[in-house]
Amino acid sequence: MRPDRQGLAYRDERAGERDRHGVLWARVGQAPGSGRPDYRVMHPVRQRQAMLERRCQVCSGPADRNAKGWLFAVRRPEAAEDMPGWPEGLLCTKPPVCRPCARLAARHCPYLGEPVYVRARKPRVWGVFGGIFDPHLAPGPDDYLPYGHPAAPFFLANQLVVELTRTTREPAP
Ligand SMILES: [Zn+2]
């Protein structure tokens, strides 16, 4: 808690630990290339960088883009066909992919399953995913928070959220 009790802070906060909206980000060690993949979670710093720079979430090279937009591999929702307009406006924490990695991810990631491939012409930065640490509230599960929300000073982010807009679906690459 900050000394003025108006939000969270690190005691030894460093430049770059808040994003340009002032939201504090979770600290994680940096050791690219070492260890084994943990498919349940994404590294916060690398996830954010991949989202902002439209890099492939697997190899960090440029994400695939054509006239219909950037390529995203998203988890198939329950009964997608019944949701009118899906995936327009989908809130997404998974950065785009390049074509070779789209196939690789579908083969190896146990959480992706048989993904839906979506092109988004305008992926719009929407907010953050993480947890609220408010002394007046019981801690809850991690959740989405839009930028500009009054709870932002008490939020510890671990993923950047983009809204997929001007979307089209396409067959597996
Ligand atoms: Zn790739």
Side-chain angles (χ1 to χ4, degrees):
M1 190 65 61
R2 278 168 23 185
D4 63 5
R5 323 261 321 150
Q6 299 302 303
L8 306 175
Y10 291 119
R11 283 211 179 96
D12 56 344
E13 200 170 303
R14 298 183 291 255
E17 293 191 304
R18 286 179 192 275
D19 59 30
R20 62 191 195 89
H21 299 267
V23 175
L24 192 65
W25 278 69
R27 272 183 182 170
V28 189
Q30 292 255 41
S34 69
R36 293 174 59 81
D38 181 350
Y39 292 103
R40 290 169 307 159
V41 292
M42 285 198 166
H43 190 283
V45 173
R46 283 183 253 161
Q47 186 268 356
R48 179 156 55 127
Q49 192 175 22
M51 275 297 201
L52 290 173
E53 297 174 9
R54 314 254 197 259
R55 293 186 167 278
C56 171
Q57 60 166 286
V58 181
C59 70
S60 85
D64 192 72
R65 185 190 188 188
N66 66 16
K68 293 189 169 168
W70 281 275
L71 179 63
F72 290 81
V74 303
R75 213 154 70 158
R76 191 174 296 274
E78 311 283 328
E81 318 307 329
D82 299 338
M83 295 161 68
W86 191 93
E88 187 64 24
L90 183 69
L91 297 182
C92 186
T93 57
K94 305 293 180 280
V97 286
C98 70
R99 288 175 74 87
C101 289
R103 289 190 289 267
L104 202 66
R107 253 201 337 267
H108 291 282
C109 177
Y111 297 94
L112 191 55
E114 185 61 44
V116 179
Y117 294 94
V118 174
R119 294 273 177 192
R121 255 190 219 148
K122 290 241 182 237
R124 189 180 72 84
V125 171
W126 178 90
V128 278
F129 185 82
I132 289 179
F133 293 84
D134 185 319
H136 309 296
L137 294 173
D142 279 6
D143 207 350
Y144 295 83
L145 190 86
Y147 278 130
H149 192 282
F154 296 94
F155 200 81
L156 188 65
N158 59 57
Q159 308 275 281
L160 185 73
V161 179
V162 301
E163 181 186 16
L164 302 186
T165 66
R166 300 184 63 194
T167 54
T168 44
R169 289 176 64 163
E170 71 172 40

